Amino acid sequence: MESTPKTIAKGLTHTNCVTIAIAAPTTPVREKWTSNIEFTLSCIAYSVGFGNIWMFPYTALDNGGGAFLIPYLVVLFVIGRPLYYLEMAMGQFCSRGCVKIYDMAPAMRGVGIGQTVAMVVAMSYYTPVLAITLRYLVLSFSSELPWSKCDHSWSRCIDSDFRGYANTTGSLSEDRRNVSAELYFTHTIMHRAPLADGLGWPDGELVLCLLVSWLILVVILIKGVRSTGKAAYFLAIFPYVIIFILLAHSLSLEGSLEGIKFFLTPKWESLFSGKVWMEAVTQCFFSLSICFGGIIAYSSFNNFSNNVYRDAMIISWLDTFTSIIVGCIVFGVLGNLAHVTHRNSIQDIVREGPGLTFMAYPDAIAKFEYFPQLFSVLFFLMFFIVGIGSNLGAITSVITAIHDRCPTIPNWKIVICVSVSMFGAGVIYLAPCGLDLLDVMDTYGAKYVTLTLALFEIVTFAWIYGADRVCRDIKFMLQIETGLFWRVCWGFLAPGMVAVILVLSFVEYVPLNVPSQYNVAGWILYTFAILQLPLWAVYAVMTQDEKDFRTKLRAAFQPTKTWGPENEATRDQYNQLKCTRSRFRAATPARHRIRRLCNKIFD
């Protein structure tokens, strides 16, 4: 028996059991998930990742623990979950990646291009963090944790396995002594140096760990979503086994409840802080991995009738649950660290992002009375596994964008090219000044770009394409009526809150503590990503077939002729329903401008 053809050709005729093919361009069939559970688990592995384990605990700590939790939960409910559902539904509806999905409004294709730029930036520093994690994981198998004792070359150092507080001679900064876990990270692992001295040469062992990390990613990605889906069973489920083991151990530590109390106790005055709300929105995007293109890419490989509403609710609630559980683990350990070192404030323990994962937590583990190596292995193994899941989603988003543009290129070639390029870029972050450069790229190339483009993405979906049209598409696809809550969030609350927070982020902008040229380079990167909006809008207008400029402009903001479901028969049915509705609306036009705008959301 012949294998099923891998392409669909227009003009096929079936007569007397003979298929006659009329010459026509062929379109490769889009890969599909083997089962819905593989899609769900892949999204869990992607969304429940670095954003929850690496960024959330530090962001909560930096913004006062419980002071941050309330704004974060509000933002998740009003912005995070609605956008997650929106991206997942529209990606499945049209079976397009984060760039091709803007066939709904070609003038806005720059949003997808800019998000791909942001994803490439994030992907460039995700894998170096993964490499550092792998290095710590290997070191955790030592008979004695190497960061638990001071090296003889380190001055003013105290062993991390010392269960006490040595800074008792005075309050002056020169009396402060550093723990060995911190010095081990800065001197032995990263060989930290000021960015003003230049990047320097990367550590060879870290480069080897980066190579191993990329080889693992390539093996999983090489066969597309089929291999990614199989890996998701392990990547999504096993971390929760470790998480609950670490939670049980964290709760058993002395002083842990004080740390968890600090994390869960709300501070209502924080609701009036613009900085906390901005951090909450940024963390929401990184935690759920929305507005980067990964969710759209993953859902584009779904079957058309898959119940994406159910999946979106399960994953978004699980993501929130995971963030809170991981917060309890980390703050429980920090509470124990504050207890054994006789510190009054948990916030005094660590003050920088990477420090929470690679300084404070190793320092706390070194103080465990029983089996510190075991808990070090469990923590860094969990961190490595969720890092693999996060990277898979990020890389898949970029690969899908390229494959949508060049569908005839085999998937494995795109995977190899992207992996080699990103490996070369990732080596830079493993240099002595790499973490300072990471901070620059994360701030300008990821956070600011994502926040800006998120606003334009919401406006495109809810106002240019129309939230009501989105709801009709969802009903056509799933036979589900979309409630008022989702319409109000998509049309008003989400764009309003993102716009306000975006303005506040620029008003309260403070340059990073790096040489000025790096801040300038960061703004150039931001400008490059945002310039994709007007450049692609001009291109879309100029390439329209209409002759009149006003007609060209209007057509550039309308869906293309090929917009709709991937299957041609389903798309024909969709177009017939659309034409029927267009005739009805033409017979009963909305004369008032405000009424026409409201029809975008509620009609």
Side-chain angles (χ1 to χ4, degrees):
M1 181 180 292
E2 295 182 354
S3 59
T4 303
K6 295 185 177 180
T7 58
I8 299 172
K10 294 182 179 180
L12 290 179
T13 303
H14 190 75
T15 306
N16 295 329
C17 300
V18 177
T19 302
I20 303 173
I22 301 173
T26 60
T27 303
V29 171
R30 195 176 193 82
E31 284 186 287
K32 299 296 180 185
W33 298 102
T34 305
S35 65
N36 177 57
I37 188 65
E38 291 187 2
F39 164 70
T40 304
L41 291 176
S42 296
C43 287
I44 291 173
Y46 173 48
S47 296
V48 182
F50 272 169
N52 306 80
I53 311 296
W54 179 37
M55 300 187 68
F56 176 78
Y58 166 70
T59 306
L61 179 65
D62 191 45
N63 289 277
F68 171 77
L69 196 57
I70 296 300
Y72 174 69
L73 292 176
V74 170
V75 167
L76 272 176
F77 187 72
V78 175
I79 299 178
R81 290 176 64 238
L83 288 187
Y84 197 89
Y85 177 38
L86 178 64
E87 289 193 346
M88 192 173 280
M90 295 310 294
Q92 177 175 301
F93 174 78
C94 66
S95 298
R96 291 165 168 86
C98 66
V99 176
K100 202 75 167 63
I101 196 173
Y102 288 94
D103 284 350
M104 68 169 67
M108 303 302 292
R109 198 178 304 279
V111 175
I113 301 291
Q115 287 177 338
T116 303
V117 171
M119 183 57 84
V120 169
V121 170
M123 189 169 61
S124 70
Y125 63 72
Y126 268 14
T127 41
V129 174
L130 199 61
I132 299 172
T133 304
L134 181 59
R135 177 84 184 277
Y136 268 89
L137 176 60
V138 173
L139 292 170
S140 298
F141 287 95
S142 305
S143 58
E144 180 183 63
L145 294 178
W147 57 82
S148 62
K149 298 291 185 181
C150 294
D151 187 89
H152 62 85
S153 63
W154 301 339
S155 60
R156 307 198 62 78
C157 174
I158 179 173
D159 293 339
S160 283
D161 59 3
F162 174 71
R163 295 173 58 83
Y165 181 48
N167 292 349
T168 58
T169 59
S171 58
L172 298 177
S173 59
E174 59 266 21
D175 289 327
R176 183 181 182 275
R177 300 175 68 181
N178 296 313
V179 294
S180 58
E182 179 180 346
L183 295 174
Y184 186 83
F185 177 72
T186 56
H187 294 345
T188 304
I189 298 295
M190 295 302 302
H191 309 286
R192 294 291 295 274
L195 193 56
D197 296 343
L199 288 174
W201 289 96
D203 180 83
E205 293 181 344
L206 286 180
V207 173
L208 181 60
C209 290
L210 181 66
L211 178 62
V212 172
S213 300
W214 270 111
L215 287 175
I216 294 173
L217 290 167
V218 168
V219 169
I220 297 174
L221 287 164
I222 200 73
K223 292 186 178 180
V225 296
R226 289 174 295 172
S227 53
T228 303
K230 297 298 183 292
Y233 285 98
F234 176 75
L235 297 175
I237 296 174
F238 186 69
Y240 282 96
V241 176
I242 303 178
I243 284 174
F244 284 110
I245 293 174
L246 293 176
L247 177 63
H249 182 262
S250 177
L251 293 174
S252 69
L253 298 173
E254 291 183 273
S256 62
L257 294 182
E258 288 300 316
I260 295 173
K261 180 180 177 181
F262 176 81
F263 171 57
L264 296 178
T265 303
K267 296 181 181 179
W268 302 107
E269 62 272 16
S270 67
L271 297 177
F272 302 99
S273 171
K275 176 181 178 295
V276 172
W277 284 97
M278 182 183 70
E279 292 286 354
V281 171
T282 304
Q283 177 57 39
C284 174
F285 288 159
F286 274 92
S287 179
L288 283 171
S289 303
I290 53 177
C291 298
F292 280 102
I295 299 301
I296 294 175
Y298 268 174
S299 58
S300 71
F301 300 111
N302 262 342
N303 292 317
F304 187 73
S305 59
N306 178 58
N307 190 348
V308 76
Y309 176 81
R310 175 199 59 206
D311 294 334
M313 296 305 100
I314 291 174
I315 298 168
S316 59
W317 281 116
L318 183 61
D319 180 87
T320 305
F321 169 77
T322 305
S323 293
I324 294 175
I325 293 298
V326 170
C328 289
I329 293 172
V330 172
F331 277 85
V333 171
L334 294 180
N336 172 256
L337 183 59
H339 173 77
V340 299
T341 57
H342 309 295
R343 294 176 186 256
N344 294 323
S345 174
I346 291 177
Q347 286 183 296
D348 292 338
I349 294 175
V350 62
R351 298 301 304 170
E352 59 175 298
L356 187 58
T357 303
F358 301 116
M359 294 185 212
Y361 208 92
D363 181 45
I365 291 175
K367 292 176 172 60
F368 287 176
E369 291 187 73
Y370 305 105
F371 312 114
Q373 292 93 336
L374 172 62
F375 289 104
S376 181
V377 168
L378 288 175
F379 175 76
F380 287 110
L381 178 60
M382 173 193 68
F383 195 49
F384 184 77
I385 292 172
V386 300
I388 289 290
S390 294
N391 277 278
L392 286 176
I395 301 167
T396 299
S397 173
V398 176
I399 291 173
T400 303
I402 297 173
H403 196 268
D404 283 350
R405 181 66 179 174
C406 308
T408 58
I409 300 178
N411 183 77
W412 67 269
K413 290 186 178 180
I414 301 177
V415 170
I416 296 297
C417 290
V418 170
S419 300
V420 171
S421 302
M422 288 296 98
F423 171 77
V427 169
I428 299 174
Y429 296 100
L430 301 177
C433 302
L435 290 182
D436 292 329
L437 181 63
L438 186 154
D439 197 21
V440 172
M441 301 297 284
D442 177 57
T443 300
Y444 297 102
K447 289 181 179 178
Y448 276 114
V449 171
T450 302
L451 195 59
T452 304
L453 295 178
L455 177 61
F456 286 97
E457 177 187 316
I458 300 169
V459 169
T460 302
F461 280 65
W463 289 99
I464 297 176
Y465 186 71
D468 182 66
R469 190 183 292 184
V470 170
C471 296
R472 293 199 304 272
D473 293 346
I474 292 174
K475 183 178 180 181
F476 177 80
M477 178 173 63
L478 304 179
Q479 303 302 310
I480 294 176
E481 291 285 354
T482 304
L484 181 63
F485 168 77
W486 303 103
R487 295 172 184 261
V488 171
C489 286
W490 293 335
F492 301 103
L493 295 181
M497 289 185 67
V498 172
V500 169
I501 293 168
L502 178 63
V503 171
L504 286 175
S505 69
F506 286 118
V507 170
E508 299 179 2
Y509 165 75
V510 177
L512 296 177
N513 187 23
V514 294
S516 58
Q517 61 265 31
Y518 287 94
N519 283 302
V520 173
W523 282 117
I524 292 175
L525 176 60
Y526 170 82
T527 303
F528 171 77
I530 302 305
L531 274 179
Q532 304 304 314
L533 279 166
L535 292 177
W536 284 94
V538 170
Y539 175 80
V541 172
M542 300 305 295
T543 54
Q544 295 299 317
D545 295 331
E546 289 77 3
K547 296 182 180 180
D548 178 66
F549 176 76
R550 181 176 295 181
T551 309
K552 282 178 175 283
L553 185 64
R554 187 182 299 111
F557 287 91
Q558 296 295 322
T560 63
K561 295 179 180 179
T562 59
W563 169 256
E566 178 186 32
N567 181 271
E568 290 191 11
T570 307
R571 186 163 65 244
D572 289 342
Q573 184 182 359
Y574 171 73
N575 288 332
Q576 289 175 6
L577 291 174
K578 186 170 64 174
C579 291
T580 301
R581 181 167 180 83
S582 297
R583 288 194 295 269
F584 173 77
R585 296 191 66 176
T588 57
R591 293 183 174 86
H592 201 278
R593 182 173 297 177
I594 296 179
R595 173 69 181 277
R596 290 200 299 270
L597 286 175
C598 289
N599 285 345
K600 288 280 188 179
I601 307 296
F602 300 113
D603 187 23

